[in-house]
Amino acid sequence: MYLTTLGRLQLADAAGREEPSLASRRKKLAVLAVLALADRPLSRAALLEMFWGDSDEARARHSLNDTLSHLRRVLGRDAITGRQAEVALAPDAPLVVDARVFAAAARAGDHARALAAYGGAFLPGVYVEGSVSFERWVDGERRELEGLHLTSCAARARELAAAEAWGEYEVVARRWLAADPCSERAALHLLRALSGPETAGARRRALAAYDEWAAHYERECDRPPPTEVQALARTIAASVPIDGVTAEMPLVAESPVAESPVVESPVVEPPVVERPAGRRGPRDERRLQRRARWSLAAIVAALLAGGLWLRPSEGALPAEAAAAAERPGVAIVAIAAPGADSATQWLDAGLPRMISDQLARVPDVEVIPPERLQLLHGAAGSFDLPALAFLGRRAGASWVAAGLIGRNADGLRLDLSVLDARSGQVARTLTLEAANPLALADQAAAGLLSVVGAHGSGARLVDLETASVQAYEHFVRAQAAAAAGDDASTRRELDAALALDSNFVSALHARYVLAVMHDEREVADRHLAPRLERVRDRMNERDRLEAQVWEAFYAGEHARSEFVARTLAERYPRDPRGRDLLTRIYVLHGRFGAAESLLVAQLAATDTAAGAARTGCTACQLWRTLASVRGQRGDAAGAEAAARRAIALQPQAEAGWRELMGALAMQGRFAAALDAARQAALLAGDTARHTLDEGRLLLAARRFAEADTAIAALSRSADAERRADARDLQILLARERGQFRAARRAVERWEAEAPDQVWIRLMNFDHLGRLGAWSELTRYAAQPAHGWEDVRTRTSPLQGVGFRARGFAWHHAVEADAYAGSGDTLRLRLLADSLERVGGLSYYARDWRTHRHVRGLVHARAGRWADAAREFEAALWGPNGWTRTNLELATAYEHLGRWADAERVLRAAYGASLDGMGRYVPHSELDWRLARLFQRTGRRDSAAAYAAYARAAWRTADPEVRRRLEGLP
């Protein structure tokens, strides 16, 4: 039997005849689809909740048994196996599923077979009324399959382009564009496919297709067509006679350019667009403008040569991109150290970095950094020169260098081959000798510049960076750790490099950025910022741009930080670090869709199948970041899929397992999440850290006795940080048990012992508000607010307005929420006004909307439930951000009779981690709220189940908490 899930839902035999007994029973087919695509047996409880959650328990069980019996009659009595509690499709069941066939082919690289198997969107139009879990499952499967489809379209398009199979190439490109209408890479491929035969008719077809697509793009994607597609259309138009005259190509874009934020910096300025002089006439001008809003054709040439990265369309800088494309690109593809001893074996990674750093200071060349090559294939793996030339050409290089390094009597010797990437021929072989690696890198850079016809400043690497070889060795190891997502090792290696040379420019900058990202205020402000200021004139342009991004970001200059980050990515298009930074800025600004689009584009441009397990798996880091972004969007299934891709590529990396842990916990799959946490701990060699993760997961899973054991283990640790973790877990456990007085006392003891840990006191706002201690809450709130003061001078971003505004916004939002039960709406209004003005300066987009939560509280206290719901909806930071907003929004929905919406936002709150914004609502309180909701809507079995959870948790709760159980089933 063949189960079709792509494009439609149907079960048919080998001859294509539809199974008549299931033709109109879509719910039964949906159950079969869920079983067929599951990687493990499913619990009966999960199936009951997914398909018959609105029915009483007896009827639901009857319906499930009837469905399974029906499926066994069709597929065979042994096709569906099951113990009393679990159900699974047997491995040898006579069933082929199109989604599995497609996914297997796509992942195996058989893209022609994959496209033949892909019949359309997954389960279109199939839904189960009232089932949020089925909807989430379909969305997760659909998202993953659509991603594989786009990847196969891109890969198959490249294959057909290389084979010059223009007809099939056009079909695949059109299919790709239909699936992703806003994809500029798909549009580029379609234009190349249509114009490929290089006839006048083919070019006219390409221009007609461009006209149609550009109009659709402007209408549906709400922005002008991307510069690269415009430029390719202009290149095609240049060779097509217009009224008997071939169109000339202007050098500067004619289209209006959206105004960019002003950047007060000598390094970055918004692009200036000039209007070209001399036109043919109104008619020709209109026709040419319609076909392309022009930019430099060199951009397209560079894109088609590299063909691997979809640049972000927002804030594009055509002039900068063109300048980068016109400079010769140099890639140091491979340096091998055969037979190296422990003192020189690091140079296979370190020497390319040294040479690249020296070349990066020469404006006449563009350096393809080692990270870009890792993004393509990891390490090169061989010294087959044509293969290395091909790899460099794929990276966008016009020159490629590869060599062997070894020791001689006087120090080190490097035999370096410089290849023309286009022809694959060796242009020159350099034999270089030096006493140490830094001097060798200087000689290699000078030799490369002479080959490519560029000239450097004459400054030596040892003058610009560091005189310590050992410091550079630690710096190279830090970069490898950063590529693997290991922040602890990155920090350790950078600190070691700076201990050897405190003025090592690149190491200083990298450590400073790491400190800023992790809010290490003392390190950044007192130790790193003054030193970095002294050596700022020795920083290369890329690092100066990155510093500007962080300065604008932490100053609360949101638009400017994004603009400079896009500038960085555009100015260094072959360096993935700029795009990584732009992604991070988008995430912190709450632009999760833009961040996900950037990540998906980078992954689509990455050959992840080759060299996946090699050192510095950049694709692995992209998948891990994508998992994190999807998690923040509330897409737990998509986050899990991305985390599993990262693990498949790099199973030895702890970070992938931690992302998987979070994604599984969001779905309530705590046993599997605990397994992932244990694997992460095993790889990290940090069992104490695992105990902390385990404790939080056990609390979320309502396994309080086991959580007690984990807390006791952490309390015995010799590490003060781990003992602090035990205290935090103890407070969270008391809250889950409804013991808010005990939690309050624990916070006060901790606060007295660690007065610098201001975040601890935020928990007591919630405790005092729950206990109705309004006068004490007022005294507590009168203490200085966390992190805010009028900043007139600053030496680092962590002293900037944006950073301090973040502390102010969160502190006062929690304070306002605690006052909600007091009836003091005047105080709430004043706090909302302050939050709106100050929170808008924060670098973190969550704080831009906290005032909406407080205004929602005001409306709710006045009984204006529609207004309250609107404000709480606007305050949501992702579906499972600050769970206090979820709880208040559910209350508003209940008063409006929107029961399904109330259940949705309450269930989403379970997905928030207890170590962040989710700590302010215990899961036991969510259980109590759902029990009440189910009781009011007549779902007695569900109400009883959740009431049992609440009773078990609140057995020893404070009296006022236990009273809330009265009246529950």
Side-chain angles (χ1 to χ4, degrees):
M1 302 293 285
Y2 194 88
L3 179 64
T4 301
T5 62
L6 300 172
R8 65 187 189 282
L9 179 59
Q10 182 186 71
L11 183 67
D13 61 17
R17 294 185 294 267
E18 185 174 7
E19 169 57 41
S21 69
L22 290 170
S24 60
R25 293 176 169 85
R26 292 168 70 81
K27 181 178 282 192
K28 291 182 177 180
L29 281 179
V31 172
L32 178 59
V34 170
L35 292 173
L37 293 173
D39 295 326
R40 56 183 175 78
L42 299 175
S43 70
R44 287 178 177 269
L47 290 171
L48 288 171
E49 190 278 331
M50 181 178 285
F51 289 98
W52 295 280
D54 290 335
S55 302
D56 62 69
E57 187 172 356
R59 179 176 296 180
R61 290 187 181 280
H62 173 76
S63 298
L64 175 59
N65 291 334
D66 175 66
T67 298
L68 298 178
S69 297
H70 192 152
L71 296 177
R72 288 189 181 103
R73 288 196 300 272
V74 174
L75 298 174
R77 59 180 299 177
D78 298 324
I80 296 178
T81 64
R83 293 171 291 182
Q84 185 173 2
E86 292 183 330
V87 181
L89 188 72
D92 57 351
L95 182 69
V96 176
V97 186
D98 62 343
R100 283 196 176 276
V101 172
F102 161 71
R107 290 175 178 135
D110 188 351
H111 300 295
R113 181 166 173 256
L115 292 182
Y118 190 81
F122 179 69
L123 296 188
V126 178
Y127 67 96
V128 175
E129 186 173 356
S131 177
V132 176
S133 56
F134 179 76
E135 182 181 346
R136 288 177 177 169
W137 175 78
V138 171
D139 286 346
E141 295 288 333
R142 183 178 295 160
R143 184 187 295 273
E144 183 171 7
L145 293 169
E146 286 175 349
L148 288 173
H149 177 233
L150 293 176
T151 300
S152 286
C153 285
R156 185 59 178 157
R158 291 196 295 268
E159 293 170 358
L160 294 169
E164 298 186 356
W166 306 119
E168 191 177 352
Y169 184 18
E170 177 189 345
V171 170
V172 171
R174 287 189 182 279
R175 177 172 177 170
W176 182 5
L177 201 56
D180 189 2
C182 294
S183 169
E184 57 192 275
R185 290 180 65 239
L188 285 169
H189 277 281
L190 178 59
L191 295 187
R192 291 176 65 193
L194 290 168
S195 62
E198 297 184 353
T199 65
R203 293 187 180 106
R204 288 191 178 96
R205 285 187 65 217
L207 291 175
Y210 172 78
D211 282 347
E212 180 181 353
W213 174 81
H216 179 271
Y217 187 93
E218 289 185 341
R219 183 175 63 253
E220 301 297 329
C221 307
D222 197 27
R223 55 182 182 266
T227 304
E228 294 83 32
V229 188
Q230 294 181 35
L232 180 54
R234 176 62 187 128
T235 303
I236 296 169
S239 59
V240 177
I242 299 177
D243 295 341
V245 182
T246 301
E248 295 179 356
M249 292 171 47
L251 294 178
V252 186
E254 289 195 30
S255 63
V257 175
E259 183 178 350
S260 300
V262 176
V263 179
E264 298 176 359
S265 163
V267 179
V268 184
E269 296 180 359
V272 177
V273 180
E274 299 177 358
R275 184 173 297 279
R279 300 197 179 97
R280 298 190 173 279
R283 182 184 177 192
D284 291 341
E285 179 185 353
R286 285 194 300 271
R287 295 178 67 175
L288 292 178
Q289 283 181 325
R290 187 176 66 251
R291 288 177 175 169
R293 294 175 177 87
W294 302 313
S295 180
L296 289 172
I299 300 172
V300 178
L303 272 171
L304 298 182
L308 290 170
W309 177 51
L310 171 62
R311 300 179 191 173
S313 59
E314 296 185 62
L317 298 177
E320 294 294 349
E326 290 171 349
R327 293 177 291 180
V330 179
I332 295 86
V333 178
I335 301 289
D341 54 29
S342 59
T344 57
Q345 62 185 1
W346 66 279
L347 288 173
D348 58 350
L351 197 60
R353 165 55 57 195
M354 294 180 186
I355 299 171
S356 296
D357 283 345
Q358 179 69 321
L359 293 175
R361 302 174 187 279
V362 179
D364 295 340
V365 299
E366 183 184 4
V367 183
I368 288 77
E371 292 86 357
R372 171 63 170 154
L373 302 171
Q374 291 170 2
L375 183 64
L376 294 177
H377 287 289
S382 75
F383 274 78
D384 177 356
L385 293 183
L388 293 177
F390 173 76
L391 176 59
R393 188 165 63 250
R394 289 288 303 277
S398 37
W399 299 92
V400 171
L404 298 173
I405 186 172
R407 286 196 175 277
N408 61 14
D410 298 322
L412 297 171
R413 168 181 170 140
L414 175 63
D415 295 309
L416 192 68
S417 297
V418 185
L419 296 83
D420 184 324
R422 290 159 294 189
S423 67
Q425 300 299 311
V426 176
R428 189 180 302 176
T429 299
L430 305 172
T431 299
L432 309 169
E433 295 181 338
N436 61 66
L438 296 170
L440 195 64
D442 283 331
Q443 291 185 32
L448 279 166
L449 290 173
S450 68
V451 174
V452 305
H455 302 284
S457 63
R460 299 179 304 158
L461 190 67
V462 67
D463 298 325
L464 296 169
E465 289 288 355
T466 178
S468 170
V469 174
Q470 292 81 6
Y472 218 110
E473 181 177 355
H474 284 294
F475 178 62
V476 169
R477 289 174 179 164
Q479 292 191 312
D486 185 352
D487 285 344
S489 296
T490 304
R491 184 183 291 107
R492 184 173 59 251
E493 294 293 345
L494 288 174
D495 287 343
L498 291 172
L500 292 164
D501 183 351
S502 62
N503 292 318
F504 182 175
V505 183
S506 292
L508 257 178
H509 174 70
R511 182 66 181 93
Y512 175 70
V513 169
L514 190 66
V516 167
M517 288 192 299
H518 290 276
D519 291 351
E520 298 178 79
R521 303 185 67 186
E522 180 75 12
V523 174
D525 291 346
R526 185 166 298 180
H527 300 294
L528 296 175
R531 276 190 274 165
L532 195 58
E533 195 62 35
R534 288 197 300 268
V535 299
R536 184 177 286 267
D537 60 335
R538 287 164 48 198
M539 292 171 64
N540 60 46
E541 184 187 17
R542 201 213 73 85
D543 288 351
R544 280 197 295 271
L545 273 174
E546 184 175 28
Q548 287 183 54
V549 173
W550 288 115
E551 287 166 3
F553 177 72
Y554 280 105
E557 299 172 12
H558 314 136
R560 181 181 174 228
S561 64
E562 288 188 15
F563 174 71
V564 182
R566 285 196 296 270
T567 300
L568 175 62
E570 283 288 334
R571 189 166 293 182
Y572 298 94
R574 301 183 179 102
D575 188 338
R577 291 175 295 173
R579 302 190 299 281
D580 293 343
L581 177 56
L582 181 59
T583 301
R584 184 182 294 273
I585 298 297
Y586 279 155
V587 168
L588 290 167
H589 283 177
R591 300 185 58 189
F592 301 121
E596 184 167 350
S597 296
L598 267 180
L599 290 164
V600 170
Q602 292 179 70
L603 284 164
T606 306
D607 294 327
T608 56
R614 294 175 183 162
T615 307
C617 177
T618 309
C620 309
Q621 179 61 39
L622 291 174
W623 281 114
R624 290 193 292 264
T625 306
L626 182 59
S628 175
V629 170
R630 286 177 172 174
Q632 292 182 73
R633 295 188 76 177
D635 178 10
E640 179 187 352
R644 291 191 184 280
R645 290 294 298 274
I647 291 169
L649 290 170
Q650 202 174 39
Q652 76 281 8
E654 171 210 1
W657 291 98
R658 289 186 61 78
E659 290 294 345
L660 179 61
M661 175 193 74
L664 293 170
M666 282 182 65
Q667 300 172 69
R669 295 159 58 187
F670 297 112
L674 282 164
D675 288 340
R678 293 185 183 108
Q679 184 64 31
L682 181 66
L683 291 169
D686 187 349
T687 56
R689 182 179 179 183
H690 157 65
T691 307
L692 173 61
D693 292 333
E694 182 181 18
R696 289 173 178 153
L697 290 170
L698 291 171
L699 288 176
R702 310 180 183 91
R703 293 159 61 175
F704 300 146
E706 294 171 73
D708 264 328
T709 303
I711 291 168
L714 282 173
S715 299
R716 294 190 295 269
S717 173
D719 186 338
E721 186 176 351
R722 295 285 83 88
R723 293 196 302 274
D725 291 336
R727 285 183 148 180
D728 192 22
L729 283 175
Q730 186 65 59
I731 292 166
L732 291 174
L733 177 57
R735 289 171 58 83
E736 289 293 336
R737 287 172 166 164
Q739 300 168 352
F740 294 104
R741 287 180 173 82
R744 172 190 169 186
R745 289 192 296 272
V747 170
E748 289 170 349
R749 286 194 299 270
W750 192 0
E751 189 178 1
E753 296 174 18
D756 58 321
Q757 298 293 306
V758 185
W759 68 270
I760 302 168
R761 67 193 300 262
L762 297 181
M763 295 294 294
N764 261 355
F765 279 117
D766 184 65
H767 298 148
L768 294 170
R770 287 175 180 274
L771 298 170
W774 309 120
S775 59
E776 191 169 350
L777 178 60
T778 301
R779 289 195 300 273
Y780 205 66
Q783 299 177 34
H786 171 43
W788 175 257
E789 60 187 72
D790 182 17
V791 181
R792 304 188 186 281
T793 60
R794 58 190 172 94
T795 58
S796 87
L798 293 185
Q799 293 180 343
V801 171
F803 185 86
R804 296 180 182 277
R806 181 186 179 188
F808 176 93
W810 189 233
H811 181 106
H812 286 84
V814 174
E815 174 190 336
D817 190 73
Y819 271 112
S822 70
D824 188 351
T825 56
L826 175 60
R827 181 186 294 270
L828 293 180
R829 291 175 187 276
L830 292 172
L831 284 168
D833 291 342
S834 297
L835 285 169
E836 184 170 8
R837 297 189 63 180
V838 179
L841 299 173
S842 171
Y843 66 82
Y844 190 28
R846 176 203 65 190
D847 302 326
W848 308 348
R849 61 187 74 192
T850 51
H851 70 98
R852 305 297 295 268
H853 176 93
V854 182
R855 297 196 194 284
L857 294 174
V858 174
H859 288 305
R861 298 311 170 259
R864 297 188 294 269
W865 296 109
D867 293 333
R870 185 182 64 253
E871 293 293 340
F872 289 133
E873 287 166 348
L876 282 175
W877 174 249
N880 52 14
W882 187 16
T883 46
R884 285 292 314 152
T885 303
N886 292 63
L887 207 65
E888 295 291 348
L889 179 57
T891 301
Y893 283 153
E894 288 178 19
H895 280 88
L896 295 170
R898 296 170 58 178
W899 308 108
D901 287 330
E903 180 182 350
R904 172 178 54 80
V905 296
L906 287 173
R907 288 192 181 279
Y910 285 105
S913 173
L914 287 174
D915 64 334
M917 290 181 284
R919 68 170 55 237
Y920 295 91
V921 178
H923 283 201
S924 57
E925 185 171 8
L926 295 174
D927 293 337
W928 174 76
R929 285 296 302 269
L930 278 172
R932 287 184 59 202
L933 177 64
F934 292 140
Q935 186 179 29
R936 290 176 178 177
T937 53
R939 296 161 65 178
R940 293 188 299 275
D941 291 340
S942 296
Y946 281 91
Y949 291 147
R951 280 202 173 87
W954 291 353
R955 191 175 296 114
T956 58
D958 295 336
E960 58 269 31
V961 176
R962 287 201 305 274
R963 282 196 294 271
R964 299 168 77 180
L965 295 170
E966 296 173 2
L968 285 183

